[in-house]
Amino acid sequence: MNKKKNSLFAHLISLAVQTIRAKLALLILFSSVFAILAFATYFSFLEMNGFRQVNLLDFEVGKVAERDVTTSREISFVDENATRIRREARQKLITAVFRYDNALSASMQNNFSSFALFLTQSFNEYRQFDQFMLNLQQEYPGILEQKEAKKLFSAQNRDDVLLTARSLFKQLVNEGVTAFPDAGMERFNELEVEVVRSRNDRVERQEVPIKTLLTRDGLRSYVVKSLSLMQKKTELADLIMPLFLPFVSENLVYQADESEAKLEAAIRQVQPVLVVLQKGQKIIKRGFIITDESFRQLHALANSGVYIDIRQFSGSLLFLLLTIFLSFYMFFTALPQELAEFRTIVLLCVFFSLNYLIVLIAGRIHFFSLPLDMVMIIPSAMIAMLVTILINQRVAVLFSVILACGSLIASNFTLAPALFSLFSGISGIAVMRVSGKRIDLVKSACILAVLNPLLVVFLSVVFPSSSRDAWTPVFGSSINGFMSGIFVLGFLPIIESLLNTSSSFRLMEFSDLNSPIMKKMLLSVSGTYNHSIMVATLAESACREIGADPLIARVGAYYHDIGKMDQSEYFVENQTDYNKHLDINPRLSATVIRSHVKQGIEKARQLRLPREIIDIISEHHGNSLITYFYNEAKKLDDSVDPEDFTYPGNPPKTKESAVVMLADVVEAACRTLDKPSVPRLEKFIGELISQKINAHQLDSSELTFRDIGIITRTFVNILAGYYHSRIEYPNQKDPDAQEQKIKDLIGKGKRNE
C-alpha cells in the first residue's frame, strides 16, 4: 500500500512539474506584466499629493480656481506666517541684558572721593582763588573750568556742597549709569530691560522699566530730583554737575552677546503654529477665488513629501492580480483553441498594458484630472478593433471586459472611464466589418466618431461635474473614435507582419493570383496551378456552407502544393507525354512524392505565410498511405514497410484543413472519372470521403456527419457544373479518331507496297 501511495505521489509531482514546464513561458509573461504594471502603479501612487498631482503654477492668489483640490490623507504643516507672528511677538517680550560693572563702579567711587577730599583740603589751605586754581590745575588739569571753579570756591556753603556731592555721587554710582547702543536693540522689549548685578557671589536679575535707567543726558534731572528729595536747594545742581561729569562713566553696560543668546534661546522655545488638514478636506474649490490661506494650504500639500497610501495601493495591486487571473481563466478555459499560440497571448498582454498605462498616466496629468476628460485618449476602441481583426469577435468582447477592469484600477476606481472603455470597445467591435477591405476601417472610424460622443453625453448625465466643461470630452471622444479606425488602418499591417497573423486583410493579400509566387506557379507548374485553383473553389464553397472560414480555406488551397514547384515533372498533373516514375523504383517515387509536403512548408515559411496556412500545407495529406507506389513496391517485395510510403504530416486539426484535404483528393480523383454524371460523382465522392474517415484522417478535425454531408453535396454541385455534358456539333470530329484513321491509311499503303 505504501508503495502505491509513493508511486501515486511521485506521479502527481511529475505531472505538476510537467505542467509548470509547459506553462513556464506563460507564467514568466504574466509575472512580468504584473511586475511592470505594479511598478508603474507604485510610482503613480507615490507623492500623490506632490507636484505630480498639484502644480502650483496652475494656481494663483486672487484668481478663480479651475478645479477642486482635495487632500487624500491627513496632512499637518507649520503655518509659517502665523509662526513668524508668534516669534516676533515673543521677541518683543524678551528684555535686553545690562550688566552692572562692580569694578568700574568702585573705581568711579574712589576717584570722586579722592577729588572731593582734595577740594576740601584745598579750600582750607588756600584763601586766594588764584592759588586754589593753580593747585587744582596742577593735580587735576582741565577737570574744571575756571568759571565753574571760581563759582564753587566763592560759595559760602562749599563744604556742604562737597558733602552733598559725595552722597549723590555714591547714590548715582549704585544706581548705575547706562548708554543705549545705536543699533541692536530693535528686536527686544521696548519697555523693559534686564539688569544683572553680582552681590556677595550671588547674581541678581531684575527687569526694570527702560525709562528708569539713568543716562548721561539724564544726570541733571537725576541730581535736581535727588536734591529735592534731600530738601536741599535745587540751585546746588549748578555747582554739583561740573563736579560729577568728569568722573561719571557708564557702569551699567549693554551685553550684546548675552542678549542675543537669550533672544535665540527664547525663539527656539517658541512652538510653531501647526495646521492640520483632515483627509478629504477640500482646500481649493472650483469656481472660488484662491485666498492667501488656501494657497498656503495648497503649497503645504504640494510639498508634503513622499507618501503612499499603502492600503489603497495594496487594494489596487490585489484587483490587478485578480484581473490577470480573470483574463487567464476567461481565455484559457473558455477559448483555448483561439489562444493556443504564445504570440497571441503576448499581443493581448501588450494591449492590456498599453491601455492600463495610458489611463494611469492620464489620471496624473492636470488636463485629464477629471474622470470624463481622460476618455479622449483611452484606446479601448482601437484595441478592440485590432483584436477583432487579428483574432476574432468573441475574444474581442471578452478582452473589452478585461480592458474595462484595467481602466477601473488605473483610474483609482473611478467608474466613468471604465464604463467608457467597456462600451467604446464593444462599439468598436460592433461597427467592425471584417470583409478584407481596408476601406471598411474608415467607415467604422466614421461610425465611432458619432457613437463615442453619444456615449460621453450619456456618462455626463449619469456622472455630473465629471469634466472640465461640457464640450471638450464630447469633441475629444469623437476624435478618439475616428482616429481609432485610422490607427488600426496604420498599425494593422505592421502587427500582421510582426506576428505573422492570419487576418482577413492579410489573407486577401495572399489570395491575390497576380502575386509573384502564383504567377510562377502558372508558368512553371500550370497543372498544379489549375489543380490548386479548383481545390480552392471547392474548399471555399464547402467552408462557407458549414460555417468555417472560407478565406483561410481558399488561401490554404492556393498554396497547399507549392512544394511541387521544384520537381514538377514527377507529378501527374504536370506530365505531358512521359512519366518519369517509370525509370525509378516505387520507393524512390514515394520519397519524391512525400517530399513536396516538406518543401511546401519550407517555401511557406520563406514567404512568411500565416501558421494556419502552413498547417494546411503540412496536413493536406495527413499521414495517409501513398497507395499506388505502396502496391507497386509490394509486387516487388512483400515485406515492404508501410511507413516508408506514408506522408510525414499529421491529420487535419481544423475544419478548414480537413476540407482542403477532401477537396484535394476529390478534385484529383474526379479527373479520372469517365462521364462524371451527378449520381456517379455523388457515389464516387462519397467513397473517397469514406476512405479518409476509415483511415482516421478526420478524427481531429471537429467535422460532424452533418458537415460531411454538406461538404459532399457542395463538391457534387460544383464538379457537376464543371464536368457537365456538352452538345456534339454535326461537323465536330474527334482529333484522336482522325489521327488514327490517317495512321491506318499509311499502314495500309505500306503493306500494299
Side-chain angles (χ1 to χ4, degrees):
M1 182 65 70
N2 291 332
K3 290 183 178 180
K4 290 183 178 180
K5 289 184 178 180
N6 294 335
S7 177
L8 178 61
F9 181 74
H11 176 70
L12 293 176
I13 294 295
S14 177
L15 184 62
V17 171
Q18 291 177 3
T19 304
I20 293 174
R21 287 179 179 176
K23 302 296 183 181
L24 183 59
L26 295 178
L27 181 63
I28 294 174
L29 175 63
F30 280 105
S31 300
S32 300
V33 170
F34 177 75
I36 292 172
L37 297 184
F39 191 71
T41 305
Y42 172 79
F43 275 95
S44 69
F45 274 90
L46 199 63
E47 292 191 358
M48 193 171 181
N49 288 325
F51 281 101
R52 296 177 184 176
Q53 182 183 12
V54 178
N55 189 352
L56 294 180
L57 298 178
D58 298 333
F59 303 90
E60 187 175 342
V61 176
K63 286 189 175 182
V64 177
E66 297 181 356
R67 65 185 178 104
D68 295 333
V69 177
T70 306
T71 59
S72 62
R73 61 184 173 105
E74 182 179 299
I75 296 175
S76 59
F77 68 97
V78 175
D79 189 334
E80 297 295 343
N81 187 49
T83 303
R84 178 182 56 81
I85 294 174
R86 174 180 285 183
R87 287 174 178 172
E88 289 178 353
R90 179 60 176 159
Q91 286 179 188
K92 294 300 182 181
L93 295 176
I94 300 302
T95 55
V97 178
F98 286 79
R99 186 172 290 276
Y100 185 81
D101 193 338
N102 292 327
L104 179 61
S105 300
S107 176
M108 289 168 56
Q109 184 69 37
N110 293 333
N111 290 337
F112 187 78
S113 297
S114 299
F115 177 65
L117 181 60
F118 170 78
L119 290 178
T120 301
Q121 293 175 352
S122 296
F123 288 153
N124 296 330
E125 184 176 354
Y126 300 103
R127 299 295 181 184
Q128 299 295 326
F129 172 72
D130 292 338
Q131 292 181 347
F132 170 78
M133 190 63 188
L134 290 174
N135 188 42
L136 178 62
Q137 290 179 348
Q138 180 180 348
E139 294 296 330
Y140 296 94
I143 198 169
L144 288 176
E145 294 183 1
Q146 186 172 359
K147 181 180 178 181
E148 296 170 347
K150 188 174 183 179
K151 189 176 181 180
L152 178 62
F153 185 81
S154 303
Q156 295 181 355
N157 57 344
R158 57 189 181 185
D159 292 334
D160 184 52
V161 169
L162 289 176
L163 184 62
T164 303
R166 292 183 66 177
S167 177
L168 286 177
F169 191 83
K170 183 178 180 180
Q171 180 180 336
L172 182 149
V173 170
N174 291 333
E175 186 75 17
V177 179
T178 187
F180 296 103
D182 295 334
M185 291 186 60
E186 298 82 3
R187 298 190 296 164
F188 294 92
N189 194 327
E190 297 178 353
L191 300 178
E192 294 182 340
V193 295
E194 181 183 17
V195 177
V196 181
R197 298 176 183 269
S198 298
R199 294 177 180 176
N200 300 323
D201 297 331
R202 185 167 56 89
V203 177
E204 297 179 357
R205 297 179 178 272
Q206 182 181 10
E207 292 185 352
V208 298
I210 196 169
K211 62 182 180 180
T212 62
L213 295 181
L214 182 60
T215 62
R216 293 181 68 89
D217 295 335
L219 282 178
R220 184 173 181 84
S221 298
Y222 178 80
V223 171
V224 170
K225 183 179 180 180
S226 298
L227 290 173
S228 177
L229 292 175
M230 295 172 65
Q231 295 181 354
K232 294 184 178 293
K233 294 181 179 181
T234 58
E235 290 80 1
L236 292 178
D238 295 334
L239 298 176
I240 294 174
M241 284 300 298
L243 300 177
F244 278 7
L245 290 177
F247 297 96
V248 172
S249 297
E250 290 80 5
N251 61 337
L252 193 59
V253 183
Y254 169 65
Q255 305 295 313
D257 294 340
E258 188 174 351
S259 299
E260 290 293 335
K262 178 183 178 182
L263 181 63
E264 293 299 328
I267 291 176
R268 284 195 298 270
Q269 294 177 357
V270 173
Q271 296 295 327
V273 179
L274 196 65
V275 178
V276 179
L277 300 178
Q278 300 297 329
K279 181 180 181 179
Q281 180 177 340
K282 189 176 291 186
I283 60 177
I284 298 293
K285 296 181 179 180
R286 181 184 177 189
F288 287 82
I289 295 177
I290 301 175
T291 62
D292 289 332
E293 181 182 359
S294 59
F295 188 79
R296 285 195 298 271
Q297 293 176 351
L298 183 68
H299 191 277
L301 181 66
N303 294 285
S304 57
V306 176
Y307 167 77
I308 186 169
D309 190 335
I310 298 298
R311 181 186 61 83
Q312 193 172 13
F313 174 66
S314 301
S316 297
L317 289 190
L318 178 61
F319 274 95
L320 179 62
L321 189 61
L322 290 177
T323 301
I324 292 177
F325 276 120
L326 174 65
S327 63
F328 183 88
Y329 172 78
M330 292 176 66
F331 290 127
F332 292 95
T333 302
L335 300 169
Q337 67 279 8
E338 286 89 346
L339 300 176
E341 287 202 1
F342 184 73
R343 62 182 182 182
T344 305
I345 306 170
V346 172
L347 178 67
L348 294 177
C349 289
V350 170
F351 282 159
F352 177 80
S353 301
L354 176 66
N355 184 81
Y356 185 91
L357 292 175
I358 287 177
V359 177
L360 191 69
I361 295 172
R364 274 53 182 177
I365 299 176
H366 167 57
F367 186 80
F368 303 111
S369 58
L370 295 178
L372 283 180
D373 288 338
M374 70 173 63
V375 302
M376 296 181 284
I377 61 172
I378 295 179
S380 56
M382 179 191 73
I383 293 174
M385 294 169 72
L386 284 171
V387 174
T388 302
I389 297 171
L390 297 172
I391 306 177
N392 60 42
Q393 194 176 61
R394 186 183 179 190
V395 175
V397 172
L398 293 177
F399 193 63
S400 295
V401 177
I402 300 299
L403 289 179
C405 293
S407 299
L408 181 67
I409 300 169
S411 62
N412 199 17
F413 298 95
T414 306
L415 197 57
L419 290 177
F420 177 84
S421 176
L422 176 62
F423 292 123
S424 179
I426 294 177
S427 299
I429 298 169
V431 302
M432 191 68 236
R433 293 293 178 264
V434 186
S435 63
K437 298 179 181 178
R438 297 191 186 271
I439 190 64
D440 291 338
L441 293 175
V442 179
K443 295 178 182 178
S444 300
C446 295
I447 298 174
L448 273 180
V450 177
L451 292 179
N452 273 359
L454 296 178
L455 177 59
V456 171
V457 170
F458 171 76
L459 291 175
S460 63
V461 173
V462 178
F463 303 100
S465 302
S466 295
S467 61
R468 192 180 305 274
D469 55 71
W471 296 107
T472 300
V474 172
F475 286 116
S477 63
S478 179
I479 296 173
N480 181 351
F482 181 77
M483 294 306 297
S484 294
I486 302 303
F487 282 140
V488 169
L489 187 62
F491 288 132
L492 185 58
I494 300 174
I495 298 176
E496 286 176 332
S497 178
L498 291 175
L499 300 181
N500 196 23
T501 58
S502 59
S503 68
S504 59
F505 299 100
R506 194 152 184 260
L507 290 175
M508 286 297 293
E509 294 174 357
F510 284 120
S511 67
D512 185 8
L513 296 178
N514 292 317
S515 63
I517 186 66
M518 297 307 293
K519 287 184 177 181
K520 185 177 180 181
M521 283 184 66
L522 176 60
L523 296 175
S524 61
V525 283
S526 57
T528 300
Y529 175 84
N530 292 318
H531 164 71
S532 299
I533 297 299
M534 192 60 193
V535 171
T537 302
L538 294 171
E540 181 180 12
S541 301
C543 284
R544 185 176 290 109
E545 293 298 326
I546 66 174
D549 193 328
L551 191 53
I552 289 180
R554 184 187 356 151
V555 177
Y558 282 162
Y559 291 91
H560 79 285
D561 273 344
I562 59 173
K564 294 180 179 181
M565 294 175 64
D566 292 336
Q567 295 175 311
S568 59
E569 65 275 10
Y570 286 94
F571 299 92
V572 65
E573 69 266 22
N574 300 313
Q575 294 173 353
T576 55
D577 56 353
Y578 185 73
N579 188 351
K580 283 196 172 186
H581 290 287
L582 298 176
D583 300 332
I584 58 178
N585 61 60
R587 187 182 297 274
L588 183 57
S589 296
T591 302
V592 173
I593 297 300
R594 294 172 60 199
S595 65
H596 87 276
V597 176
K598 181 179 179 182
Q599 292 174 356
I601 295 173
E602 292 176 355
K603 285 186 177 295
R605 288 173 177 167
Q606 292 173 2
L607 293 171
R608 297 198 78 245
L609 293 179
R611 177 191 57 80
E612 291 80 358
I613 307 303
I614 297 177
D615 288 344
I616 291 177
I617 295 173
S618 66
E619 295 171 357
H620 78 278
H621 283 299
N623 56 2
S624 60
L625 186 66
I626 306 175
T627 309
Y628 177 79
F629 292 109
Y630 174 68
N631 293 330
E632 292 294 320
K634 285 196 69 174
K635 293 178 182 179
L636 302 176
D637 183 7
D638 289 336
S639 62
V640 67
D641 188 359
E643 291 294 330
D644 296 336
F645 294 86
T646 301
Y647 282 102
N650 296 315
K653 297 183 180 64
T654 63
K655 290 184 177 182
E656 294 83 6
S657 182
V659 171
V660 171
M661 168 188 274
L662 297 178
D664 179 42
V665 69
V666 166
E667 198 282 331
C670 286
R671 289 177 180 269
T672 66
L673 188 64
D674 292 333
K675 296 181 180 181
S677 62
V678 171
R680 295 184 70 187
L681 283 171
E682 189 171 11
K683 181 179 179 181
F684 188 52
I685 292 173
E687 291 176 354
L688 292 173
I689 294 178
S690 296
Q691 290 176 7
K692 292 296 181 183
I693 295 175
N694 295 332
H696 304 286
Q697 296 300 305
L698 303 181
D699 291 355
S700 303
S701 63
E702 299 182 358
L703 286 178
T704 64
F705 286 110
R706 178 179 178 275
D707 293 335
I708 292 174
I710 295 174
I711 292 170
T712 302
R713 290 193 296 271
T714 303
F715 286 173
V716 170
N717 292 335
I718 294 175
L719 291 175
Y722 182 76
Y723 293 116
H724 68 276
S725 301
R726 287 182 170 81
I727 298 173
E728 185 174 343
Y729 293 94
N731 297 327
Q732 186 176 0
K733 297 180 180 180
D734 188 353
D736 293 337
Q738 185 71 16
E739 182 180 355
Q740 185 64 37
K741 185 177 180 181
I742 294 173
K743 290 182 178 179
D744 291 342
L745 291 174
I746 294 173
K748 184 177 180 182
K750 288 182 178 181
R751 287 194 299 270
N752 292 333
E753 293 179 355

